[in-house]
Amino acid sequence: MQSSSLSQQMQRDAARLLYDNALSGIIITLIASSFLVYAFDSPLWLYRFLWWVIMCGVLMHRLRVWKVWQGLAQSDDYNGAAQIAAFARGARITAVLWAVYAVMIIFTGGLVEIVTTIITISALAGGSATVLAGDKKTALFYAFVLLIPGSICLLLSADHERQVLGVLGVCFGLVMLVVSRKSAEFTRHAIRLKNENAVLVNEMEQQVEDRTRRIHELSNLDPLSGLYNRSAFVSKVTQQQDVVTGTQRKGALFFIDLDGFKQINDRFGHETGDFILRESASRLSTMVGEHDVLCRWGGDEFLLWLQGVDDAGQAVDVAQKVIAALSHPHVGDAGSWRVSATIGIALMPAHANDLNALISYADTAMYIQKKRRPSRALIFVPHMAEAQKQQLAMRDALSQALARDELRLVFQPIVQCAEAAPCAMEVLLRWRYKGEDISPVKFIPLAEKYGMILQMGEWVLRQACSVAATWADDNALRICVNVSVLQLQDEEFVNRVEQILCESGLAASRLQLEITESVFAADQQLIVSRIRALRAMRVGVSIDDFGTGYSSLSVLQNLAVDTVKIDRSFIRHLDNSGYAIVTAVIHAARHLNFDVVAEGVETAEQHHALAEIGVEKLQGFYFSRPMEVEDLPQYFAPSGRRAPNELNAPA
């Protein structure tokens, strides 16, 4: 509470204190004045009667003021200062009338009447110290005017008895002034203390309220988007379903995943990513009905519950409107960005009555649609559940693969084109699950999606360096290890590579890290800094599957890589468009001082065509299948390798 409002509240409390005792004070004054006027005979009876009439008029005015205050006090929103002033005027006029009466009696009345009047006025003055304590000036004025003028008149009298009464009156008056002042100050202090305590209590209550609201926000709201978080979403939808039964328990769950968000977030930074998430949340909020529930599930994922919607056609119509709304450009101060959304839809009760099952089914539908064709909506169908079940089972098994010793490395040589002699070995990861080898194309995305790739990638790098360090000097080939974008983005990755090289004893120049073109969709500045740090250690860096994604030779030059691996799709079509592309890459690579490796060489014709183009390094089944680690010594033996034309490349 500010000081001005505190002062106003103190004035209202002081006014309330004055008016609470006003009626009794008016009645006592009326009784005392009537008694004194009518109890004694006096030749000045007419003047005393006139005085009494004036006093009654003043008391009636004070009574009307009191009645007005009674009405104002009900609202507790009145002007305290104005009400104190109105009260003070009446009280002070009353005091002046009492002083006039005392002086009149002192000069005309008998000793008994004078003593009676002094006693009455002294009693009134004594009571005023408490009754008028709400207004210090009025309390002092009342005590002074009632006692001092009459006492001075008694002192000026020639009669000794009256002089004694005057001395007593002056002394009593001075005492009452001191008492009134202290009483008023004490009352004001009590009122201030009471209101300051009220302010403190209000502030504490406000702090508690703010903290309660903050706790609610932290426990129920996503801080970035302002939407419900996971737990609040589940709780809200569950509460809605608990109040309905039977056929009323129906709705549609949308699992919304933004398309293209990760690339924008990695390229332009988290500030831009947060802006897009807030804008997307705002657009979704405008599409939510009174009984619908929206939340940010995590990352760039949102969940939308449409209460009462169980028709697939209606749900798809809404989903298309959502996609259209999210696909409009996001225009900010730093530029304009466009994302879209892929939506998976699950229906209650058609697919499940359990919310967690619906979320899982909608997630599955979204994931499948995203792989098929992003920026579309897909209704869950039951056969997807089996695929999801298998994927989750594979995820759980993959998380235990290292502990169960189910992962292993195989090695495929990279050879010199002319003599087909190995110059490097690429490490490939294999996982044997339920008696069969699972393709890395299947389990590597799972490892990346569920946060296992860092641990798995470090294991591969450590094992590969340890194996390569055991090769004899005459087989001191480079070892090529694939690393993911997530590994490169890890701030400890470069230090970890250096540590593994030291532990294994492998020279940094013998390690070649292969990165896919997906790194170009990430934060290029960060990736460049990582690659340059690796190159400064003399670790080689190559771009794998070149030509299928985001990269260009000009960007490669900035990345400071030293090798380009041409994707197998171009080698497969050397007889037409692939030939021109490979020729262009070779020509540019020579000027940029890059090594070039052609992947996927499977026939003698491809070998000969690449040799004519000028590709110096080749890799593929035509030269060797990936080999187990125990087969390497035989391959390294001079008699262990057959000439390329003796190999039977697979179809």
Side-chain angles (χ1 to χ4, degrees):
M1 184 184 296
Q2 297 179 347
S3 59
S4 60
S5 59
L6 174 62
S7 175
Q8 292 172 358
Q9 186 58 46
M10 290 179 62
Q11 290 172 344
R12 284 193 287 267
D13 287 347
R16 185 177 294 107
L17 182 62
L18 291 172
Y19 282 101
D20 283 349
N21 298 311
L23 182 60
S24 60
I26 292 171
I27 294 173
I28 290 172
T29 300
L30 178 62
I31 294 172
S33 62
S34 300
F35 171 78
L36 291 176
V37 169
Y38 292 104
F40 298 96
D41 292 330
S42 172
L44 298 177
W45 185 88
L46 182 61
Y47 292 102
R48 293 201 295 180
F49 177 75
L50 182 60
W51 174 89
W52 180 78
V53 171
I54 295 173
M55 176 65 82
C56 288
V58 172
L59 294 177
M60 289 298 295
H61 172 73
R62 291 179 62 187
L63 185 62
R64 285 196 299 271
V65 172
W66 177 80
K67 289 291 292 182
V68 170
W69 177 85
Q70 287 287 309
L72 294 175
Q74 301 302 317
S75 66
D76 198 28
D77 187 24
Y78 51 87
N79 189 327
Q83 295 305 308
I84 291 174
F87 179 92
R89 282 193 296 270
R92 292 178 186 185
I93 293 173
T94 303
V96 171
L97 287 174
W98 276 119
V100 170
Y101 185 83
V103 171
M104 181 173 60
I105 295 303
I106 287 170
F107 286 110
T108 61
L111 185 61
V112 174
E113 185 178 3
I114 292 173
V115 172
T116 303
T117 300
I118 291 174
I119 292 173
T120 301
I121 291 176
S122 298
L124 292 173
S128 70
T130 302
V131 174
L132 303 178
D135 184 20
K136 180 179 178 180
K137 291 181 179 180
T138 301
L140 293 174
F141 181 88
Y142 198 90
F144 178 85
V145 172
L146 254 68
L147 296 172
I148 300 303
S151 298
I152 292 175
C153 290
L154 289 171
L155 285 174
L156 296 177
S157 173
D159 186 68
H160 177 69
E161 288 82 0
R162 296 188 181 192
Q163 290 176 349
V164 172
L165 290 174
V167 171
L168 292 175
V170 170
C171 292
F172 184 70
L174 294 175
V175 171
M176 288 310 304
L177 287 173
V178 174
V179 172
S180 296
R181 181 178 63 82
K182 289 186 176 180
S183 179
E185 290 176 350
F186 176 81
T187 300
R188 181 173 179 79
H189 177 73
I191 291 174
R192 174 177 286 276
L193 186 62
K194 173 231 178 188
N195 283 279
E196 287 178 345
N197 287 339
V199 170
L200 181 61
V201 170
N202 287 336
E203 289 178 349
M204 292 176 63
E205 289 177 348
Q206 185 62 45
Q207 290 177 0
V208 171
E209 183 179 343
D210 291 344
R211 187 168 297 178
T212 301
R213 183 172 61 254
R214 181 60 177 160
I215 291 173
H216 177 269
E217 291 175 353
L218 291 174
S219 60
N220 292 279
L221 301 181
D222 171 59
L224 176 63
S225 65
L227 303 178
Y228 283 125
N229 58 22
R230 289 191 178 201
S231 59
F233 175 83
V234 172
S235 175
K236 183 70 175 178
V237 176
T238 302
Q239 289 175 6
Q240 285 188 355
Q241 298 311 300
D242 287 343
V243 300
V244 297
T245 57
T247 58
Q248 294 179 328
R249 292 175 61 91
K250 60 184 180 180
L253 183 78
F254 288 16
F255 199 110
I256 305 167
D257 184 88
L258 298 183
D259 299 326
F261 171 80
K262 186 178 185 304
Q263 289 83 354
I264 293 175
N265 189 61
D266 291 341
R267 182 176 179 183
F268 296 100
H270 295 299
E271 184 174 345
T272 299
D274 291 347
F275 167 74
I276 291 175
L277 290 174
R278 286 192 296 267
E279 283 289 301
S280 299
S282 177
R283 295 180 187 184
L284 288 170
S285 297
T286 63
M287 310 183 74
V288 174
E290 180 181 357
H291 300 293
D292 301 333
V293 187
L294 174 66
C295 87
R296 181 184 175 209
W297 191 245
D300 59 346
E301 298 172 339
F302 299 87
L303 291 191
L304 173 59
W305 170 258
L306 297 182
Q307 179 70 20
V309 176
D310 64 345
D311 178 73
Q314 183 182 358
V316 171
D317 289 342
V318 175
Q320 290 173 346
K321 294 178 182 178
V322 169
I323 294 171
L326 294 176
S327 298
H328 289 301
H330 296 269
V331 181
D333 295 337
S336 176
W337 303 272
R338 185 187 295 273
V339 299
S340 186
T342 301
I343 301 178
I345 305 172
L347 303 175
M348 177 187 289
H351 299 137
N353 284 306
D354 177 69
L355 179 61
N356 290 325
L358 287 174
I359 294 173
S360 179
Y361 292 159
D363 184 16
T364 299
M366 183 278 298
Y367 183 74
I368 292 174
Q369 181 61 40
K370 205 173 187 72
K371 289 202 301 182
R372 289 179 182 172
R373 188 178 180 186
S375 304
R376 297 288 189 276
L378 180 65
I379 297 282
F380 174 82
V381 291
H383 74 78
M384 296 178 184
E386 185 60 31
Q388 181 200 40
K389 183 178 179 181
Q390 293 177 1
Q391 185 187 84
L392 293 178
M394 187 177 293
R395 177 202 64 185
D396 294 339
L398 185 60
S399 66
Q400 301 296 321
L402 280 175
R404 295 173 179 171
D405 199 26
E406 295 175 349
L407 297 177
R408 73 186 193 281
L409 302 183
V410 295
F411 301 81
Q412 186 176 32
I414 299 172
V415 303
Q416 295 288 350
C417 182
E419 64 275 12
C423 58
M425 283 285 183
E426 180 178 1
V427 172
L428 303 171
L429 183 60
R430 293 292 184 264
W431 176 34
R432 193 155 188 83
Y433 174 59
K434 292 186 176 180
E436 63 175 313
D437 283 333
I438 306 299
S439 169
V441 175
K442 291 184 177 180
F443 72 80
I444 293 298
L446 279 179
E448 291 181 333
K449 180 178 180 181
Y450 294 108
M452 294 177 275
I453 194 64
L454 295 182
Q455 180 186 12
M456 191 176 297
E458 181 178 348
W459 180 85
V460 171
L461 185 60
R462 193 178 299 277
Q463 294 296 315
C465 290
S466 296
V467 171
T470 64
W471 295 340
D473 291 340
D474 54 351
N475 290 319
L477 310 177
R478 268 192 167 189
I479 188 75
C480 303
V481 181
N482 291 278
V483 295
S484 74
V485 178
L486 295 177
Q487 287 176 272
L488 279 175
Q489 290 174 330
D490 181 11
E491 61 182 11
E492 292 298 322
F493 179 69
V494 175
N495 292 334
R496 196 168 290 116
V497 170
E498 185 175 17
Q499 178 185 0
I500 291 173
L501 288 173
C502 290
E503 292 175 355
S504 65
L506 183 71
S509 59
R510 290 183 56 197
L511 176 62
Q512 183 89 17
L513 299 181
E514 296 191 358
I515 56 180
T516 64
E517 289 192 89
S518 60
V519 298
F520 292 93
D523 183 349
Q524 287 195 21
Q525 185 176 358
L526 176 65
I527 298 300
V528 167
S529 67
R530 296 281 194 272
I531 292 176
R532 288 179 176 172
L534 292 167
R535 297 288 289 130
M537 294 164 49
R538 299 185 65 196
V539 173
V541 179
S542 62
I543 294 293
D544 199 9
D545 302 331
F546 180 78
T548 61
Y550 303 88
S551 65
S552 66
L553 287 171
S554 60
V555 176
L556 292 179
Q557 186 177 20
N558 294 330
L559 281 179
V561 298
D562 58 8
T563 302
V564 173
K565 299 187 75 174
I566 302 175
D567 186 67
R568 66 184 65 248
S569 62
F570 301 114
I571 307 305
R572 191 177 300 119
H573 298 94
L574 275 177
D575 55 341
N576 45 57
S577 60
Y579 182 88
I581 293 174
V582 174
T583 302
V585 171
I586 292 296
H587 180 73
R590 287 173 179 169
H591 289 281
L592 295 174
N593 199 28
F594 290 152
D595 282 343
V596 177
V597 177
E599 298 181 293
V601 180
E602 298 182 352
T603 67
E605 290 77 12
Q606 291 171 345
H607 180 193
H608 296 151
L610 291 168
E612 290 180 358
I613 295 173
V615 179
E616 296 181 351
K617 296 179 181 178
L618 308 173
Q619 181 181 7
F621 287 164
Y622 181 64
F623 303 101
S624 175
R625 289 175 176 272
M627 295 174 284
E628 304 292 338
V629 65
E630 56 267 21
D631 297 330
L632 291 178
Q634 181 180 354
Y635 176 79
F636 288 145
S639 59
R641 292 191 297 275
R642 292 172 292 174
N645 57 10
E646 296 176 354
L647 295 173
N648 293 316

